[in-house]
Amino acid sequence: MKKIFLIIIVVTVIGGLISCKKNNSDNSLKQQENEMQLHNNKIISLIQQFEEKMHSSFKSGEMIDIDSAVWNMEALQNYGYAYPDSSTKEFIHKKSYYTIPIDVYSKVLMSDVQVVNSLMEDTLAYQLSQFPEEVKCMKFWDVTTDSIVGSTAFLSAVGGYGLNLTGPYYGFDNDDDWLWGTLGQEYGTPPLGKCDGTMVGVSDGSDELQWRLNNPAFQSGEPIYFFTDLETLETTGFDWDDIGGVYPLYVGWDYPEDNCLTDVMLTDYLMNSDDIINTYDYEGGLRPAGKTFESVYIRDELLLLPNSQGKHLHYYLVTYGIPSFIPPPN
């Protein structure tokens, strides 16, 4: 009887400990959610304040730091126009350039910021209008200060655009073999298609990798409404360890031949790309600490070498940012 009573006490104590741990875990999760909510609310408040100033007619001579101006213009475009959660089959980068007067203290007039911000809005709308596809959207707008020369700051903005809706990716089927890529595709050269001569003008190896990476099968159930603090990092297979001369991202062989990438090769490149893109830099990947993958654009490049040699390769431009899970007000 005492033994049974002791067992009951032990079970009760263990149950109490489990209950305490569960309550602590729930409280910690709730605290994290509250902190994220507060952070998102603060970000949206800052963007809305900036938006009001962009639409005001003040002549106060107010000035702000160039870094603040860049952050706010980028955040406002993403807040107002971006659809980062849209699943699209095609993905394209468009770059535009701007200048703004700057003083010796790296400050710019708010009235000049208004002008540049308006130009960005017009450029975004114009770029989007140039795509003939019926379904299209802007997925991100990444603004950078390229240089400061004298009293002028030179800025650039990369707009990431998605075309034609699709669903989460599926893997490569047997005999799903594609030519590696297409030089000059961004200038209108039709994609080379499959290794068997079909699908010319439709897709190629890099396109097939790109749309899968931008539409992963496993996604967070919480929708992302826009990003802030965007940055785009560049990488190729040469940036990572090779195994016997084989790189984790595509680097060609037998130049100038257009290599055929079999379904097995493409699957390897897909898995390697996913690992590199989503692993934090302090763990050996590309992803910056505290940021989330937004999208990747794979450009087909030719690296010229001495003695008329060269290598075809996939050039990755990977964009990351801090996501907001709160929708902008209607």
Side-chain angles (χ1 to χ4, degrees):
M1 186 68 182
K2 289 182 180 179
K3 185 177 180 181
I4 294 174
F5 181 67
L6 179 60
I7 292 173
I8 292 173
I9 291 175
V10 170
V11 170
T12 303
V13 170
I14 292 173
L17 289 173
I18 293 172
S19 177
C20 287
K21 287 182 179 180
K22 184 176 185 302
N23 289 337
N24 290 337
S25 176
D26 289 344
N27 290 336
S28 176
L29 182 60
K30 189 172 182 178
Q31 183 179 352
Q32 290 177 10
E33 290 175 350
N34 289 338
E35 289 175 356
M36 183 179 294
Q37 184 87 3
L38 289 172
H39 174 75
N40 283 348
N41 286 337
K42 181 180 179 181
I43 292 296
I44 289 178
S45 177
L46 290 172
I47 295 171
Q48 288 174 337
Q49 291 173 32
F50 179 75
E51 184 176 27
E52 289 178 7
K53 291 184 177 181
M54 289 300 95
H55 295 123
S56 69
S57 57
F58 63 88
K59 301 290 182 181
S60 66
E62 179 184 351
M63 303 188 79
I64 61 172
D65 292 334
I66 182 64
D67 290 345
S68 295
V70 166
W71 186 92
N72 277 286
M73 287 188 288
E74 175 184 281
L76 183 57
Q77 307 310 316
N78 285 286
Y79 175 75
Y81 301 106
Y83 294 89
D85 259 6
S86 298
S87 296
T88 53
K89 184 70 181 287
E90 299 172 60
F91 183 67
I92 295 174
H93 275 189
K94 291 286 186 181
K95 196 167 189 177
S96 52
Y97 301 90
Y98 311 87
T99 60
I100 188 169
I102 188 169
D103 72 5
V104 294
Y105 303 106
S106 296
K107 291 184 178 294
V108 293
L109 280 168
M110 190 65 82
S111 55
D112 290 331
V113 176
Q114 279 184 320
V115 172
V116 175
N117 186 75
S118 180
L119 286 172
M120 287 187 183
E121 289 182 340
D122 291 343
T123 300
L124 193 162
Y126 174 75
Q127 289 178 345
L128 198 57
S129 73
Q130 296 304 293
F131 299 115
E133 287 78 6
E134 184 176 348
V135 177
K136 51 192 174 182
C137 66
M138 190 269 280
K139 300 191 74 171
F140 74 82
W141 189 261
D142 183 9
V143 184
T144 304
T145 304
D146 295 327
S147 63
I148 297 175
V149 181
S151 59
T152 302
F154 294 84
L155 313 180
S156 64
V158 175
Y161 297 94
L163 312 172
N164 299 319
L165 292 178
T166 187
Y169 80 75
Y170 46 85
F172 290 95
D173 296 329
N174 292 334
D175 299 323
D176 199 9
D177 309 331
W178 297 82
L179 292 174
W180 74 278
T182 308
L183 293 177
Q185 185 176 349
E186 63 269 33
Y187 303 112
T189 304
L192 291 180
K194 285 194 164 188
C195 301
D196 61 6
T198 62
M199 304 296 283
V200 176
V202 177
S203 189
D204 59 31
S206 61
D207 291 344
E208 292 299 304
L209 289 170
Q210 179 181 279
W211 81 260
R212 285 170 169 82
L213 291 167
N214 283 328
N215 300 282
F218 300 101
Q219 303 184 47
S220 168
E222 202 167 4
I224 297 173
Y225 290 96
F226 64 95
F227 281 87
T228 60
D229 299 271
L230 287 154
E231 64 177 304
T232 298
L233 303 180
E234 303 173 3
T235 191
T236 70
F238 292 118
D239 297 324
W240 310 95
D241 293 336
D242 64 291
I243 301 176
V246 178
Y247 297 91
L249 308 179
Y250 172 73
V251 174
W253 61 94
D254 295 336
Y255 174 80
E257 293 296 320
D258 287 317
N259 296 145
C260 173
L261 304 185
T262 66
D263 62 278
V264 175
M265 292 178 181
L266 287 167
T267 298
D268 285 342
Y269 288 132
L270 180 63
M271 294 174 65
N272 294 339
S273 300
D274 185 270
D275 183 52
I276 289 170
I277 287 170
N278 291 293
T279 299
Y280 285 110
D281 50 11
Y282 58 81
E283 295 177 336
L286 190 67
R287 180 179 174 184
K291 295 197 174 182
T292 297
F293 169 66
E294 202 287 327
S295 56
V296 59
Y297 175 54
I298 305 177
R299 200 167 63 209
D300 303 326
E301 294 281 356
L302 168 60
L303 174 64
L304 291 174
L305 300 172
N307 302 320
S308 300
Q309 295 299 307
K311 284 186 178 295
H312 293 139
L313 54 87
H314 288 166
Y315 195 96
Y316 285 61
L317 295 99
V318 190
T319 301
Y320 299 91
I322 298 176
S324 176
F325 302 101
I326 299 177
N330 295 327

